[in-house]
Amino acid sequence: MKKMVRYGVFLLIVAFLAYNSVYFKKLDEVKAGTASFNAAKYAKEFWAKKLTPSLSKSAETGQLLSLLRTDKDKAFKDHANALGIGNIKYFLIKGTGKVTDVEENQVLFRLESGAEKPEMRIATEYVFGNAVRDASGTIDINEFSNSMDFNNVSAEINEIIRENVIPPFKSKVKKGDVIEFTGAIELNQEHLKLDNIEIIPISLKIRDL
Amino acid sequence: MNIALDRSKLLRFQSLIALFLLCLGLSILSDKFLSVSNLWNVMRQVSVNICISTGMTLIVLTAGIDLSVGSVLALCGAIMAGLLKNGIELPDSNLYIGFTILGAILAGVITGSAMGAFSGWTITKFNVPPFVATLAMLTVARGLTMLWTQGFPISGLGDTFLYFGTGWLLGIPVPVWISAIIVAIAVFVTNKTRLGRYIYAIGGNESASRLSGIQVNKVKIIVYTIAGALAAVGGIMVTSRLDSAQPNAGISYELDSIAAVVIGGTSLSGGRGSILGTVQGAIIIGVLNNGLVLLNVSPFWQQVVKGLVILIAVIIDKSGSKNE
């Protein structure tokens, strides 16, 4: 009798837990409610509706570099964006410069604006990473159900750059041209290195002389 | 006589003394160490290790070891996250089985328990050394995690689930509550129940325990099952805190766990040690990790320092055993 009561209580607990643990639905209804994520479409909308408007807030490159040298923490606090923890932070920058060399994978130029005129480079072949996505500071990781979708957005943004931004620029640019650019850069806050910075371009224009 | 008494007292409180000296040193070297937010942060991080080290202590008390806890933690976390996020789809029956948080947690804990029970079964049934059996389980569990997640993190688990890893209750982080409850139960089991006495007896002398009628194999399987379940609870905390189940979560957690057990004074040859000692060991490891980060020590040196601390703890343990 005692054993029966014990088993009965045990079964009741199992039934209670099971009832509160799972629920059943028709698979078609669930599928209908969840459309699969389209990274290319998201990236296009992001480019038009979020990234382009945020370019007006880009830091002027010469001023940013001066601030990084004099007050690194303020520069990072005021201008950097990052989605994760760590020392790697991203900046949206703009400026003008004079092309010093055109290489197969990059265009080298000397910055014209600001007090300093360091040499920088624009990536024109290998456009990878999350610099543009993260520098904008307008994407919330919580909008994405998994990190694969989130990373695919970066891949699609880079594809837009490779297809739309770089080709018209790369076909015309030559040594001595004055260029106007906006782009994203990646800097390590702890181990800051300000020479030979690589820019992932967002817009590129060759100034008519 | 008095010198021997003092020495035994010193050995009894060795981990507390070490913790005190460590905290003292770090509070002098870093002004951030003693801040309330940092101390709660340390306790939140340590909670996971306390949880899995409690299970590890029970195993080590029986003179065993479990190298699979980190991988089991990852697998259970991935299963919880996967079920919570995606449920189970049965296209042939046009059925979708969704899981509530309770359901996902239960599934994770059952998985952890089953993995632990399987390790215990192989150790007792086939006389496989615990080191080898759990090493195999380490690889199996990691492989299953990769298969389940396809190598990608599962994230976006909802605010309610995050509460287990990031929430506060009565001014104390929820993971600290969870680990405190687990420790309290484990202390009760080891000190006040028959199972606890059997665990110590088996670690002290397995043959004598067998001859005195203790079902050694059954007790060992129970102990490995508990350790698996506690690894799953650790998995809840880690997954919840990160809002994501990472396929490579829990790597080297088994080493931190063994370190906590050894530093806490539990003998690797079994039969001697305590849960509270392990808690002190886990806090020492956590404080050491935190202190090395605050002092900006390179991660490579951090590993060297942790390794040396474990080595010193084992040497002290061995010299203590000899004296006894």
Side-chain angles (χ1 to χ4, degrees), chain A residues 101-108 121-129 155 157-171 173 198-202 204:
Chain A
D101 201 1
V102 178
E103 295 181 357
E104 198 179 335
N105 304 325
Q106 58 191 1
V107 169
L108 306 178
R121 57 201 169 96
I122 294 170
T124 55
E125 187 68 32
Y126 301 114
V127 178
F128 295 109
I157 291 169
N158 293 338
E159 192 62 27
I160 292 172
I161 295 168
R162 276 193 293 265
E163 284 183 0
N164 302 339
V165 177
I166 293 172
F169 172 77
K170 199 176 175 183
S171 61
V173 69
E198 183 187 65
I199 300 167
I200 303 295
I202 296 169
L204 293 167

Side-chain angles (χ1 to χ4, degrees), chain A residues 20-23 25 27-28 145 147, chain B residues 89 94 96 98 100 103 153 155:
Chain A
N20 287 290
S21 294
V22 290
Y23 55 91
K25 279 184 180 175
L27 189 56
D28 332 348
S145 58
S147 52
Chain B
E89 293 178 2
N94 189 27
Y96 171 81
T100 61
S155 53

